[in-house]
Amino acid sequence: MPANKSQNFVPCCYLRAFCADDEGAAINVFNIGRELSIKGAPAKGQCARPYFYGRDGELERALQEPEGAYGEIMQRAIE
């Protein structure tokens, strides 16, 4: 897969807070369209779309630094 193809429209640090395990690998999901509850779904790929911010990756790269800093702050607050 090309670098940065899967682009999250919900920051991963938000999703980690709702993960069903300590590693952040699984999350409980409710699919509204199907009215289906999924326990322990893979967290990777949730709230993400291929090239959501465009194929050039410019916006995705611009968001990575502030999102990473915010994620660190969130982690410290949780701890």
Side-chain angles (χ1 to χ4, degrees):
M1 178 187 309
N4 296 327
K5 178 181 178 182
S6 180
Q7 299 172 355
N8 291 79
F9 51 87
V10 174
C12 293
C13 63
Y14 287 148
L15 295 177
R16 278 189 214 104
F18 295 96
C19 283
D21 63 353
D22 292 334
E23 290 82 41
I27 191 166
N28 297 329
V29 175
F30 184 76
N31 184 308
I32 295 172
R34 295 181 181 170
E35 296 184 10
L36 177 67
S37 179
I38 305 166
K39 293 188 184 251
K44 186 175 182 167
Q46 298 297 331
C47 300
R49 294 289 179 267
Y51 303 113
F52 184 75
Y53 296 114
R55 290 188 176 271
D56 65 2
E58 194 171 321
L59 183 55
E60 173 70 8
R61 283 189 300 276
L63 292 171
Q64 285 175 348
E65 186 178 332
E67 188 177 296
Y70 179 70
E72 289 177 23
I73 292 167
M74 290 289 294
Q75 186 60 38
R76 282 187 282 179
I78 291 168
E79 291 172 358

